[in-house]
Amino acid sequence: MSAFEVNFDGLIGPNHNYSGLAFGNLASSRNAQNTSSPKQAALQGLEKMRTLIRLGYKQGFMLPQQRPDTQILRALGFSGTDENVIAKASQSNPELISMVYSASSMWAANAATVTPSHDSTDGKVHFTPANLVTTSHRAIEHQQTQKLLSTIFNNNYYFTVHSALPSINRFADEGAANHTRLTSSYDDAGVGLFVYGRDENTSISDLIFPARQTLEASQAIARQHTLAPQHAIFLKQSARAINAGAFHNDVVAVGNGPVLFYHQDAYDAPSQMLAFDQLAKHFDFKAIEVPAEKVSLNDAITSYLFNSQLLASPTGDMNEMRLIAPTECYDNINVRQYLSELVEDQNQPIRHVEYVDVRQSMSNGGGPACLRLRVALTEEELAAVNPAFLLDEQKIDALKDCVNEYYRESLNPEDLLDPAFLIECQTALDALTKVIGIHNYYDFQTQK
Ligand code: SUG
């Protein structure tokens, strides 16, 4: 096999907190103002990465973003040293503090949309950082995301890292959470399935919560990534799913290889019929629809069944797939029952389910699939990836030591108002870069 999928997980930062910033994301609203544990969150994420390595998969990671983002506060008129800027904003506009302190870059599925070189017409792997324009705490991510992707995929011969689409509502983009690359095998060309929540004709009054992805954004990305028209398929989410809390497609669907595993209520019916017909022209498309009578939309959204990672076997066998599901799926009796029946059904290729504990992230609406960015790479492309961001168990241990030493056990949203916490975060990020041998990466390191 010469091509495979590598998962790059977002390493959770020392500033992980519950500030209730994501309207339409029910878990975020439910847990607003709760106490978080940055240490447990990061350790849970690292253990998930270890689980994949032990199962035989290739695993990478992405550094947390620099937080607080004092540049944003400066652009809003606060001045002085970083500590002064935080102290002044804490006094006059405390609501801005949670925005610049969000650890939301952990959800790497929203970092970018990725097209593998087998699919692009120019033969490069393309990355477009998501502008995340729908929420203010996430709209500040894309510049640092672009810098990080350019550091990890630092080879213009194989990789093209684009800028985010213009930060305009019409081009609202949430990255790979709404994009699925489907193919018969990693060695073959595949298609990009782009799922969107609204287009020019959508009646906004049908939506209780924001539709975070537009058709125009998805079309622009397909163009940027040099996808031939028949290799880009567009599929509309149902208003029902968005209104039930499916703020991203990956809350109600996950796909890989020739398989799309999705909830019965995920899509607009005419759009689904058309998209599935188009997919069937490319390969033996396998649609696994989960009926609402077995798993209700509510069970799907509270358990995050569809935010499982759907993996081919480590050798790329699409007939021997597995789900990496959050433990909440085990805890939900309907979902657990459904999954135990599913793996027995020989008419479909999902043979195993692994449960992982990522509860700290789940409480902000981010499951196993949210935490990772998938990149299908050939052997040569993998050899061109910056090795600092590829993991083995030893590096995971070293990152865990760092988390244990520098991350707080618990954090309350009001702790962010203390200017001293800024230094604590920078100290932790500085230590993480040292572990992987990347020096002078963050602005605070180069500006010293
Ligand atoms: O964008 N939560 C994230 C969760 C993203 C999950 N990603 C995927 N589904 N791919 C979001 O809604 C909550 C932050 C807070 O409330 O503190 C937040 O941003």
Side-chain angles (χ1 to χ4, degrees):
M1 187 188 65
S2 59
F4 31 74
E5 178 179 275
V6 186
N7 285 279
F8 289 83
D9 277 43
L11 177 57
I12 298 170
N15 45 318
H16 159 63
N17 70 91
Y18 300 127
S19 286
L21 300 175
F23 178 60
N25 168 343
L26 304 180
S28 155
S29 304
R30 204 169 40 242
N31 292 298
Q33 305 309 315
N34 280 355
T35 304
S36 62
S37 175
K39 183 181 284 185
Q40 295 312 321
L43 296 176
Q44 287 169 0
L46 284 161
E47 281 310 308
K48 170 167 99 69
M49 300 180 220
R50 192 197 298 281
T51 300
L52 266 81
I53 291 175
R54 289 203 172 152
L55 288 167
Y57 297 97
K58 297 188 192 340
Q59 180 70 48
F61 85 105
M62 296 169 73
L63 281 168
Q65 295 201 347
Q66 179 176 329
R67 293 287 181 269
D69 190 336
T70 48
Q71 293 300 354
I72 296 287
L73 293 178
R74 282 176 209 287
L76 297 174
F78 297 97
S79 58
T81 63
D82 279 355
E83 284 101 320
N84 290 154
V85 163
I86 293 291
K88 287 180 192 168
S90 295
Q91 275 291 320
S92 64
N93 298 75
E95 72 286 356
L96 295 180
I97 295 293
S98 55
M99 174 181 87
V100 297
Y101 254 118
S102 175
S104 49
S105 68
M106 70 171 82
W107 299 297
N110 305 116
T113 304
V114 185
T115 293
S117 55
H118 281 325
D119 302 358
S120 62
T121 309
D122 68 358
K124 301 214 191 225
V125 186
H126 287 262
F127 301 84
T128 300
N131 61 25
L132 296 168
V133 71
T134 304
T135 53
S136 36
H137 68 293
R138 304 215 62 183
I140 62 175
E141 286 176 36
H142 68 88
Q143 276 150 340
Q144 288 194 50
T145 303
Q146 186 177 349
K147 174 176 166 180
L148 182 60
L149 291 173
S150 303
T151 306
I152 302 175
F153 302 100
N154 182 18
N155 184 313
N156 294 336
Y157 181 77
Y158 293 112
F159 309 122
T160 302
V161 178
H162 300 270
S163 303
L165 298 180
S167 290
I168 300 171
N169 191 14
R170 184 171 188 166
F171 298 105
D173 172 30
E174 300 270 324
N178 295 319
H179 170 263
T180 308
R181 192 271 181 137
L182 295 170
T183 182
S184 56
S185 131
Y186 294 133
D187 291 331
D188 291 326
V191 296
L193 178 65
F194 293 83
V195 177
Y196 63 94
R198 65 185 155 96
D199 61 18
E200 285 297 276
N201 303 316
T202 303
S203 161
I204 301 297
S205 59
D206 290 345
L207 296 173
I208 303 172
F209 295 134
R212 296 201 201 178
Q213 184 82 32
T214 67
L215 174 61
E216 280 164 302
S218 299
Q219 288 168 331
I221 291 169
R223 242 184 333 263
Q224 270 189 342
H225 290 200
T226 72
L227 277 169
Q230 67 275 19
H231 286 263
I233 295 175
F234 301 95
L235 170 57
K236 192 167 195 275
Q237 277 188 290
S238 69
R240 183 158 181 212
I242 295 172
N243 291 342
F247 56 97
H248 289 138
N249 175 56
D250 68 6
V251 177
V252 279
V254 58
N256 199 350
V259 178
L260 187 67
F261 178 63
Y262 65 98
H263 192 270
Q264 181 185 349
D265 296 328
Y267 301 117
D268 171 75
S271 176
Q272 175 176 323
M273 206 184 301
L274 187 65
F276 284 17
D277 278 352
Q278 290 171 309
L279 286 164
K281 293 197 178 105
H282 288 271
F283 43 77
D284 182 16
F285 172 55
K286 296 185 176 71
I288 307 178
E289 179 173 294
V290 180
E293 64 174 40
K294 292 211 166 158
V295 177
S296 67
L297 204 45
N298 185 47
D299 276 341
I301 290 169
T302 50
S303 69
Y304 258 40
L305 166 62
F306 297 96
N307 208 264
S308 300
Q309 289 177 250
L310 176 61
L311 302 167
S313 82
T315 58
D317 186 346
M318 302 296 182
N319 294 311
E320 181 78 35
M321 299 184 113
R322 66 162 37 90
L323 283 172
I324 307 288
T327 45
E328 284 77 353
C329 290
Y330 186 84
D331 299 341
N332 180 310
I333 184 71
N334 298 334
V335 175
R336 191 199 321 170
Q337 176 69 26
Y338 172 80
L339 284 172
S340 63
E341 286 168 20
L342 180 75
V343 293
E344 295 306 321
D345 176 0
Q346 301 302 319
N347 296 315
Q348 59 78 41
I350 302 171
R351 299 269 66 86
H352 316 279
V353 180
E354 236 74 50
Y355 293 98
V356 290
D357 176 3
V358 288
R359 287 182 193 276
Q360 283 287 322
S361 166
M362 284 284 286
S363 298
N364 247 339
C370 296
L371 286 162
R372 57 91 176 102
L373 183 67
R374 291 187 281 184
V375 188
L377 295 168
T378 63
E379 303 269 7
E380 300 77 42
E381 289 159 356
L382 180 63
V385 172
N386 187 334
F389 297 92
L390 295 173
L391 290 173
D392 54 21
E393 289 209 54
Q394 219 180 344
K395 206 183 280 181
I396 289 186
D397 288 339
L399 289 168
K400 280 185 78 170
D401 287 348
C402 196
V403 167
N404 276 316
E405 184 164 353
Y406 295 103
Y407 281 41
R408 277 193 192 192
E409 189 59 51
S410 64
L411 184 66
N412 291 306
E414 65 265 22
D415 296 339
L416 306 175
L417 301 173
D418 176 4
F421 186 57
L422 174 152
I423 304 298
E424 203 176 308
C425 288
Q426 294 186 352
T427 307
L429 296 183
D430 190 49
L432 291 174
T433 53
K434 293 212 165 80
V435 167
I436 60 166
I438 297 271
H439 298 277
N440 297 329
Y441 173 76
Y442 292 108
D443 284 352
F444 72 83
Q445 294 172 311
T446 53
Q447 284 160 8
K448 257 181 197 156

